[in-house]
Amino acid sequence: LINCLMVIFFIWSAFLHLGAVDNFHTWGRGASVYLEMLLWYFFTMRLFCTDNIRKTYISMLVVITTLIFCMIICVFALGWFKVFHNLSMNLNALGLYATLAFPYIFYYSLWIWPNSVKKYVTCSICALVSVICFSSGAWLAIIVMSPLIIYFAWSSNKLSMKSMSIGLCLAAIALVCVNSISNGAILKRFTVELAQVSALDKMDSLTNHRYSIWIGTIKMISGRPLTGYGRDSFDAEHARLLAHDAELAKATGVFDHAHNTYLELAFAGGWPSAVLFILIVMLLIKKCWENRRLIENGIPWNMIHLTLLAGMIVYGFTGDVFEARRDLAVIFWTALGIMNCMPERHVVQQK
């Protein structure tokens, strides 16, 4: 069923708006996002078909991501942009990376290295990067994911009050050290974030102008609610909208995406596209929940992906994983494929 819905989601999102785009190039750029997702989803199901391959994948992901996070911390704290030029990424992109990596690193460390110092090192580094990304969407997603990780780890005897206290202390010490080395950059940024959060009476200030973008996106969707305009048409359509809406033009400039996964999907492929994506996610959540206690090669895959999906649902309200198509989105596409090819409880019991 999930495979069928994925194909329908691709066809609806990639082709039904074909008559609304300005040219074939614009259509191709937008439709290729869904093609990449579909191909990588089925490629993952074919490639990651054994438990050993899946364990190798998560082991490499955790180690490589931790090393990249270490370099990002150096970039942030020490200003090593000349050394790690390509790691001076947008903070929203860093927030998405932290959100995607968070459940993998924490569950893997707690289950595979329960009595090793490596557990504290990897989790502390991931937690530190999650803080210094200063992405509200990532923070909200991690706030939702953290209780799930604590609950599953505690109920599986993988976490104690002592180890949790040690981990929090190490993360706090690392945060203070990075703030000191960076001449108070973290504290200064926190004051900016606090001022933004305090503006409860000003939705644009509270959401960093996303509110006006969302209002504009909803207005655009109302023009083509069933088929949408295509992913690569957002900036052109947004410019047309602002040319005829002086109040909205005063509040925001022209943007190239909606800063919201669900509104972006509805803009690109109509509301049916957004509904199909949400339905796919809900079915995967159901599967992960039903098999949450299954452990494969020491890896709690269903707990990992249940937590990841919960976080990505929240992240989707202020960000869009589809916009990270060239690098980070592949982690999410891989997760979707692994979720669907994982064995279910009744199959394991029969074996």
Side-chain angles (χ1 to χ4, degrees):
L1 176 60
I2 294 174
N3 290 345
C4 291
L5 288 174
M6 192 68 77
V7 172
I8 295 170
F9 169 72
F10 163 69
I11 294 172
W12 192 287
S13 303
F15 292 101
L16 266 70
H17 62 271
L18 191 55
V21 295
D22 295 332
N23 53 69
F24 183 79
H25 178 70
T26 300
W27 169 78
R29 281 175 56 88
S32 64
V33 176
Y34 302 106
L35 180 61
E36 289 169 12
M37 175 186 175
L38 184 72
L39 291 178
W40 195 264
Y41 168 78
F42 283 113
F43 172 74
T44 300
M45 290 183 63
R46 186 65 180 264
L47 179 64
F48 294 85
C49 56
T50 67
D51 54 353
N52 289 328
I53 293 176
R54 288 192 286 267
K55 186 168 185 178
T56 301
Y57 164 71
I58 191 173
S59 300
M60 292 179 62
L61 178 64
V62 168
V63 172
I64 292 172
T65 297
T66 301
L67 291 174
I68 292 174
F69 280 175
C70 287
M71 290 188 285
I72 288 172
I73 292 170
C74 290
V75 168
F76 186 91
L78 304 175
W80 289 357
F81 293 97
K82 293 181 180 178
V83 180
F84 305 122
H85 176 72
N86 292 327
L87 288 173
S88 56
M89 62 172 64
N90 177 281
L91 290 179
N92 287 326
L94 180 56
L96 174 59
Y97 194 7
T99 302
L100 291 168
F102 200 83
Y104 287 103
I105 289 176
F106 271 78
Y107 280 108
Y108 184 88
S109 300
L110 291 169
W111 261 256
I112 301 300
W113 302 320
N115 301 311
S116 173
V117 69
K118 289 184 285 187
K119 171 180 69 175
Y120 297 109
V121 173
T122 53
C123 291
S124 297
I125 290 170
C126 183
L128 179 59
V129 171
S130 300
V131 172
I132 67 173
C133 71
F134 292 103
S135 168
S136 56
W139 284 356
L140 289 172
I142 288 168
I143 287 171
V144 170
M145 290 192 291
S146 296
L148 290 173
I149 294 173
I150 293 171
Y151 167 73
F152 285 128
W154 195 285
S155 62
S156 302
N157 297 317
K158 299 295 182 180
L159 185 66
S160 65
M161 188 61 70
K162 178 183 176 181
S163 61
M164 191 160 58
S165 300
I166 293 172
L168 289 172
C169 288
L170 286 174
I173 291 170
L175 185 62
V176 171
C177 290
V178 171
N179 181 67
S180 177
I181 295 171
S182 61
N183 297 316
I186 291 179
L187 188 59
K188 292 174 185 175
R189 186 58 193 259
F190 265 121
T191 59
V192 174
E193 295 295 324
L194 182 61
Q196 179 181 324
V197 173
S198 301
L200 296 175
D201 58 332
K202 300 177 181 178
M203 285 301 297
D204 261 333
S205 298
L206 179 63
T207 61
N208 196 21
H209 297 288
R210 283 177 170 82
Y211 179 72
S212 293
I213 302 171
W214 297 337
I215 294 297
T217 305
I218 292 171
K219 289 184 178 181
M220 290 188 288
I221 293 170
S222 65
R224 295 181 65 89
L226 291 179
T227 58
Y229 301 85
R231 288 197 73 87
D232 209 45
S233 303
F234 193 93
D235 52 350
E237 295 298 329
H238 200 212
R240 291 191 187 103
L241 174 69
L242 297 185
H244 297 90
D245 194 322
E247 184 178 351
L248 205 58
K250 186 178 179 181
T252 182
V254 177
F255 283 81
D256 59 359
H257 62 101
H259 289 279
N260 182 296
T261 299
Y262 315 108
L263 291 179
E264 182 75 32
L265 287 171
F267 169 84
W271 286 116
S273 175
V275 171
L276 283 167
F277 179 75
I278 293 170
L279 182 58
I280 291 168
V281 170
M282 290 297 107
L283 288 173
L284 288 172
I285 286 177
K286 178 177 179 292
K287 180 181 179 182
C288 291
W289 175 258
E290 290 175 347
N291 300 283
R292 63 192 181 280
R293 295 298 176 184
L294 285 182
I295 307 296
E296 180 188 83
N297 265 356
I299 307 294
W301 282 107
N302 291 295
M303 295 181 192
I304 292 172
H305 290 140
L306 185 64
T307 304
L308 176 64
L309 289 174
M312 292 308 295
I313 287 172
V314 175
Y315 180 86
F317 288 106
T318 59
D320 184 10
V321 68
F322 288 88
E323 287 297 316
R325 56 182 293 187
R326 293 180 181 85
D327 38 37
L328 299 175
V330 69
I331 299 175
F332 190 53
W333 307 157
T334 303
L336 296 178
I338 292 176
M339 287 180 221
N340 203 33
C341 71
M342 285 293 297
E344 298 194 47
R345 183 175 54 192
H346 63 86
V347 176
V348 174
Q349 287 173 347
Q350 288 175 2
K351 291 181 179 180

